[in-house]
Amino acid sequence: MRDQKLWTVHILAGAGVAFLLGLHMIIMHLDRYLGIFNPAGGKPIEWGNVAARSGSAWFTAGYILLLGAALFHGLYGLRNILFELSPPAGLKKAINVLFWLGGLGLFALGTWAAVAGCLTARAL
Amino acid sequence: MSEVIFHVRRYQPGKDARPYYQEFRVPLTPGLTVLDGLWHIKETQDPSLAWRFSCRMGICGSCGMLINGRARLACNTQITELGTSRVCIAPLPNFDIIRDLVPDLQPMFRTHKEMKPFIIRGDGLTESSEGEFIQTSEELEHYLQFSYCIKCGCCMAACPTVASDREYAGPMPLAQAHRYNRDSRDMGFAERKQVLGGGRGPWRCHFAGECSRVCPKGVDPARAIQLMKRELFLDVLHLRGKSCAAPCAGKPTDAKRREGIPEAPKPTVG
């Protein structure tokens, strides 16, 4: 039952990553046609555009969502690969703890970076 | 080609330190199957050779073995269809060996039993006591091909995930769980989910598709597993359509027996 739920979240996170990465590709590479994401004009990586996107609450939420989805999808997938090697029960538990702590730590760090970027961009 | 060379893997636990191959020469006769060749060896060259068989016609699923690198039924495999005069025979991989070509299928059947491969009704009705359950031909199509499985173990032997992951239930038990989940007479999805939703469930399948390729009965276990993944996924999201189990038609009360048709014999059991 637990695996059924985790696997479902894994699939949903994968779909989320595909959607958000698609959005990223559109923003970064279709800027000629969709300039609304780059209000400062010019290339998408120019400072004005980066600052405008970072200061947007929608973009900040998107970054955090992408971070969470990618972390869960990637770490759960890696955990499954490791579990297929049939490790002993103790090692499985250690992998679970390590991945939860590592995942939460990276999520906290990434969230802080996105929020701090948003606040800094707004203060400019 | 007048004769066929059989390379047979031999192993007797407790006697042999490790498996080894032994060569036998068998005269090629029209219609010779691998099973016939093994019988020829046993009757004329080495009576100690051991393998499992029963029906000789691809129904019982006993004689599954690795023939020229592919899991097949020995009784269903003509020598001429192999296209070579050398036949390499080994027991099914991914199982412990009892002796020579006899694999230990008990773990597979234990897992199969865990999946509750039978009709489960929550309403207390059984087919024999109350009559027949109504099922349309469309409903039958949902599971029919999976019911052709003869539990030979060829799919388990071909599965790369079973080879590396001892926890994975494997294609046969999972396909059979799906066969009953899709049966309109069945109400046992919630019970089977207790096993399927755990760590042994279908998520571990990498969809290599070898199980479907080697199945001697044309069953597609890989498809069953993918369909089961979808059902379990939708179940978590509460999007899995709930249908009532097939109703019981009941025994006809006003039917009259036509002349000349004898009464059915009395049941001898139950």
Side-chain angles (χ1 to χ4, degrees), chain B residues 59-94:
Chain B
I59 292 172
C60 72
S62 301
C63 63
M65 51 188 78
L66 197 71
I67 300 167
N68 282 4
R70 180 173 170 169
R72 306 168 193 250
L73 295 180
C75 67
N76 251 6
T77 307
Q78 295 272 325
I79 297 294
T80 48
E81 86 183 47
L82 295 173
T84 173
S85 61
R86 288 181 176 272
V87 183
C88 187
I89 307 173
L92 288 177
N94 301 342

Short mmCIF file of all heavy atoms in Angstrom, two decimals, chain B residues 59-94:
data_model
loop_
_atom_site.label_atom_id
_atom_site.label_comp_id
_atom_site.label_asym_id
_atom_site.label_seq_id
_atom_site.Cartn_x
_atom_site.Cartn_y
_atom_site.Cartn_z
N ILE B 59 0.22 -28.30 -22.58
CA ILE B 59 -0.93 -27.90 -21.77
C ILE B 59 -0.57 -27.83 -20.29
O ILE B 59 -0.99 -26.92 -19.58
CB ILE B 59 -2.11 -28.88 -21.98
CG1 ILE B 59 -2.65 -28.73 -23.39
CG2 ILE B 59 -3.22 -28.63 -20.96
CD1 ILE B 59 -3.67 -29.77 -23.77
N CYS B 60 0.25 -28.76 -19.82
CA CYS B 60 0.49 -28.83 -18.37
C CYS B 60 1.53 -27.82 -17.89
O CYS B 60 1.51 -27.42 -16.74
CB CYS B 60 0.89 -30.24 -17.97
SG CYS B 60 2.55 -30.71 -18.48
N GLY B 61 2.46 -27.43 -18.75
CA GLY B 61 3.48 -26.46 -18.36
C GLY B 61 4.59 -27.04 -17.51
O GLY B 61 5.30 -26.30 -16.83
N SER B 62 4.77 -28.35 -17.54
CA SER B 62 5.79 -28.97 -16.69
C SER B 62 7.19 -28.92 -17.28
O SER B 62 8.17 -28.86 -16.55
CB SER B 62 5.44 -30.44 -16.44
OG SER B 62 4.20 -30.55 -15.82
N CYS B 63 7.30 -28.98 -18.62
CA CYS B 63 8.61 -29.21 -19.23
C CYS B 63 9.30 -27.93 -19.69
O CYS B 63 10.06 -27.95 -20.66
CB CYS B 63 8.49 -30.21 -20.38
SG CYS B 63 7.46 -29.62 -21.72
N GLY B 64 9.04 -26.82 -18.99
CA GLY B 64 9.74 -25.59 -19.32
C GLY B 64 11.22 -25.73 -19.06
O GLY B 64 11.62 -26.22 -17.99
N MET B 65 12.04 -25.35 -20.01
CA MET B 65 13.50 -25.39 -19.82
C MET B 65 14.16 -24.41 -20.78
O MET B 65 13.50 -23.90 -21.71
CB MET B 65 14.05 -26.81 -19.97
CG MET B 65 13.64 -27.55 -21.21
SD MET B 65 14.14 -29.29 -21.17
CE MET B 65 12.95 -30.06 -20.09
N LEU B 66 15.43 -24.15 -20.54
CA LEU B 66 16.15 -23.19 -21.38
C LEU B 66 16.74 -23.95 -22.57
O LEU B 66 17.67 -24.75 -22.40
CB LEU B 66 17.26 -22.53 -20.56
CG LEU B 66 17.84 -21.25 -21.15
CD1 LEU B 66 16.82 -20.12 -21.07
CD2 LEU B 66 19.11 -20.85 -20.40
N ILE B 67 16.19 -23.70 -23.75
CA ILE B 67 16.62 -24.43 -24.94
C ILE B 67 17.28 -23.44 -25.90
O ILE B 67 16.64 -22.48 -26.35
CB ILE B 67 15.41 -25.12 -25.62
CG1 ILE B 67 14.77 -26.10 -24.64
CG2 ILE B 67 15.84 -25.83 -26.90
CD1 ILE B 67 13.41 -26.61 -25.06
N ASN B 68 18.53 -23.64 -26.16
CA ASN B 68 19.32 -22.72 -26.99
C ASN B 68 19.15 -21.27 -26.56
O ASN B 68 18.90 -20.37 -27.38
CB ASN B 68 18.98 -22.90 -28.47
CG ASN B 68 19.67 -24.13 -29.06
OD1 ASN B 68 20.33 -24.88 -28.34
ND2 ASN B 68 19.50 -24.37 -30.35
N GLY B 69 19.22 -21.06 -25.26
CA GLY B 69 19.20 -19.71 -24.71
C GLY B 69 17.84 -19.09 -24.54
O GLY B 69 17.74 -17.94 -24.12
N ARG B 70 16.78 -19.84 -24.83
CA ARG B 70 15.45 -19.26 -24.69
C ARG B 70 14.55 -20.22 -23.90
O ARG B 70 14.59 -21.44 -24.14
CB ARG B 70 14.86 -19.02 -26.08
CG ARG B 70 13.48 -18.42 -26.04
CD ARG B 70 13.01 -18.03 -27.41
NE ARG B 70 11.60 -17.68 -27.38
CZ ARG B 70 10.96 -17.11 -28.36
NH1 ARG B 70 11.58 -16.81 -29.46
NH2 ARG B 70 9.69 -16.82 -28.25
N ALA B 71 13.78 -19.66 -22.98
CA ALA B 71 12.88 -20.49 -22.18
C ALA B 71 11.73 -20.98 -23.06
O ALA B 71 11.03 -20.17 -23.66
CB ALA B 71 12.35 -19.68 -21.00
N ARG B 72 11.58 -22.29 -23.13
CA ARG B 72 10.52 -22.87 -23.97
C ARG B 72 10.01 -24.14 -23.31
O ARG B 72 10.62 -24.66 -22.38
CB ARG B 72 11.07 -23.31 -25.34
CG ARG B 72 11.81 -22.27 -26.14
CD ARG B 72 12.50 -22.99 -27.29
NE ARG B 72 13.48 -22.16 -27.96
CZ ARG B 72 13.34 -21.68 -29.20
NH1 ARG B 72 12.25 -21.94 -29.88
NH2 ARG B 72 14.28 -20.96 -29.75
N LEU B 73 8.92 -24.67 -23.88
CA LEU B 73 8.44 -25.98 -23.46
C LEU B 73 9.14 -27.02 -24.34
O LEU B 73 9.12 -26.93 -25.57
CB LEU B 73 6.93 -26.08 -23.65
CG LEU B 73 6.07 -25.16 -22.77
CD1 LEU B 73 4.59 -25.40 -23.08
CD2 LEU B 73 6.33 -25.39 -21.30
N ALA B 74 9.72 -28.02 -23.72
CA ALA B 74 10.45 -29.05 -24.48
C ALA B 74 9.50 -29.83 -25.40
O ALA B 74 9.87 -30.21 -26.51
CB ALA B 74 11.15 -30.00 -23.52
N CYS B 75 8.26 -30.02 -24.95
CA CYS B 75 7.33 -30.81 -25.75
C CYS B 75 6.84 -30.05 -26.98
O CYS B 75 6.39 -30.64 -27.95
CB CYS B 75 6.15 -31.24 -24.90
SG CYS B 75 5.10 -29.88 -24.38
N ASN B 76 6.92 -28.72 -26.91
CA ASN B 76 6.40 -27.88 -27.99
C ASN B 76 7.48 -27.47 -28.97
O ASN B 76 7.19 -26.76 -29.93
CB ASN B 76 5.82 -26.59 -27.38
CG ASN B 76 4.32 -26.55 -27.46
OD1 ASN B 76 3.70 -27.52 -27.87
ND2 ASN B 76 3.73 -25.44 -27.06
N THR B 77 8.71 -27.86 -28.71
CA THR B 77 9.83 -27.38 -29.52
C THR B 77 10.34 -28.48 -30.45
O THR B 77 10.92 -29.46 -29.99
CB THR B 77 10.97 -26.89 -28.60
OG1 THR B 77 10.43 -25.95 -27.67
CG2 THR B 77 12.07 -26.24 -29.40
N GLN B 78 10.11 -28.29 -31.72
CA GLN B 78 10.63 -29.23 -32.71
C GLN B 78 12.12 -28.92 -32.93
O GLN B 78 12.51 -27.76 -32.97
CB GLN B 78 9.90 -29.02 -34.04
CG GLN B 78 8.43 -29.34 -34.01
CD GLN B 78 8.16 -30.80 -34.31
OE1 GLN B 78 8.85 -31.41 -35.11
NE2 GLN B 78 7.15 -31.35 -33.66
N ILE B 79 12.90 -29.98 -33.09
CA ILE B 79 14.33 -29.78 -33.33
C ILE B 79 14.55 -28.98 -34.62
O ILE B 79 15.40 -28.09 -34.68
CB ILE B 79 15.04 -31.15 -33.44
CG1 ILE B 79 14.93 -31.91 -32.12
CG2 ILE B 79 16.49 -30.98 -33.86
CD1 ILE B 79 15.66 -31.29 -30.96
N THR B 80 13.74 -29.28 -35.65
CA THR B 80 13.94 -28.62 -36.94
C THR B 80 13.68 -27.11 -36.85
O THR B 80 14.28 -26.34 -37.59
CB THR B 80 13.02 -29.23 -38.01
OG1 THR B 80 11.70 -29.30 -37.48
CG2 THR B 80 13.49 -30.61 -38.42
N GLU B 81 12.80 -26.69 -35.94
CA GLU B 81 12.49 -25.26 -35.84
C GLU B 81 13.64 -24.50 -35.18
O GLU B 81 13.71 -23.27 -35.28
CB GLU B 81 11.17 -25.01 -35.09
CG GLU B 81 11.26 -24.94 -33.60
CD GLU B 81 9.90 -24.78 -32.93
OE1 GLU B 81 8.96 -25.52 -33.29
OE2 GLU B 81 9.80 -23.94 -32.04
N LEU B 82 14.55 -25.21 -34.52
CA LEU B 82 15.71 -24.55 -33.91
C LEU B 82 16.74 -24.17 -34.97
O LEU B 82 17.58 -23.29 -34.74
CB LEU B 82 16.36 -25.45 -32.85
CG LEU B 82 15.49 -25.76 -31.62
CD1 LEU B 82 16.18 -26.79 -30.74
CD2 LEU B 82 15.19 -24.50 -30.83
N GLY B 83 16.72 -24.86 -36.09
CA GLY B 83 17.60 -24.52 -37.20
C GLY B 83 19.07 -24.84 -36.96
O GLY B 83 19.95 -24.22 -37.56
N THR B 84 19.34 -25.79 -36.10
CA THR B 84 20.73 -26.17 -35.83
C THR B 84 20.76 -27.63 -35.38
O THR B 84 19.76 -28.16 -34.90
CB THR B 84 21.34 -25.26 -34.73
OG1 THR B 84 22.62 -25.76 -34.40
CG2 THR B 84 20.48 -25.21 -33.48
N SER B 85 21.91 -28.23 -35.53
CA SER B 85 22.04 -29.63 -35.10
C SER B 85 22.57 -29.71 -33.67
O SER B 85 22.80 -30.79 -33.15
CB SER B 85 22.97 -30.38 -36.05
OG SER B 85 24.24 -29.78 -36.02
N ARG B 86 22.81 -28.57 -33.06
CA ARG B 86 23.28 -28.55 -31.67
C ARG B 86 22.20 -27.94 -30.79
O ARG B 86 21.75 -26.82 -31.03
CB ARG B 86 24.56 -27.73 -31.55
CG ARG B 86 25.76 -28.43 -32.15
CD ARG B 86 27.03 -27.62 -31.99
NE ARG B 86 28.16 -28.38 -32.50
CZ ARG B 86 28.87 -29.23 -31.77
NH1 ARG B 86 28.57 -29.42 -30.50
NH2 ARG B 86 29.88 -29.88 -32.30
N VAL B 87 21.80 -28.69 -29.79
CA VAL B 87 20.76 -28.21 -28.89
C VAL B 87 21.34 -28.11 -27.48
O VAL B 87 21.79 -29.12 -26.93
CB VAL B 87 19.54 -29.16 -28.89
CG1 VAL B 87 18.44 -28.62 -28.00
CG2 VAL B 87 19.03 -29.38 -30.30
N CYS B 88 21.35 -26.91 -26.96
CA CYS B 88 21.89 -26.69 -25.62
C CYS B 88 20.72 -26.57 -24.65
O CYS B 88 19.85 -25.69 -24.81
CB CYS B 88 22.74 -25.42 -25.62
SG CYS B 88 23.60 -25.17 -24.07
N ILE B 89 20.66 -27.44 -23.67
CA ILE B 89 19.52 -27.48 -22.76
C ILE B 89 19.98 -27.28 -21.31
O ILE B 89 20.91 -27.93 -20.85
CB ILE B 89 18.77 -28.82 -22.85
CG1 ILE B 89 18.40 -29.10 -24.31
CG2 ILE B 89 17.50 -28.80 -22.01
CD1 ILE B 89 17.81 -30.47 -24.52
N ALA B 90 19.30 -26.37 -20.63
CA ALA B 90 19.61 -26.10 -19.22
C ALA B 90 18.29 -25.90 -18.48
O ALA B 90 17.26 -25.65 -19.11
CB ALA B 90 20.47 -24.84 -19.11
N PRO B 91 18.31 -26.02 -17.15
CA PRO B 91 17.07 -25.76 -16.41
C PRO B 91 16.69 -24.28 -16.50
O PRO B 91 17.54 -23.44 -16.81
CB PRO B 91 17.41 -26.16 -14.98
CG PRO B 91 18.89 -26.08 -14.90
CD PRO B 91 19.40 -26.40 -16.26
N LEU B 92 15.43 -23.98 -16.23
CA LEU B 92 14.98 -22.58 -16.28
C LEU B 92 15.81 -21.73 -15.33
O LEU B 92 15.98 -22.08 -14.16
CB LEU B 92 13.51 -22.49 -15.88
CG LEU B 92 12.48 -23.02 -16.87
CD1 LEU B 92 11.07 -22.91 -16.28
CD2 LEU B 92 12.55 -22.30 -18.20
N PRO B 93 16.35 -20.61 -15.81
CA PRO B 93 17.09 -19.72 -14.91
C PRO B 93 16.15 -19.05 -13.90
O PRO B 93 14.93 -19.12 -14.04
CB PRO B 93 17.69 -18.66 -15.85
CG PRO B 93 17.39 -19.11 -17.23
CD PRO B 93 16.30 -20.10 -17.17
N ASN B 94 16.73 -18.40 -12.94
CA ASN B 94 15.99 -17.67 -11.89
C ASN B 94 15.27 -18.60 -10.91
O ASN B 94 14.42 -18.14 -10.14
CB ASN B 94 14.98 -16.67 -12.47
CG ASN B 94 15.64 -15.65 -13.35
OD1 ASN B 94 16.85 -15.45 -13.29
ND2 ASN B 94 14.86 -14.99 -14.19
#
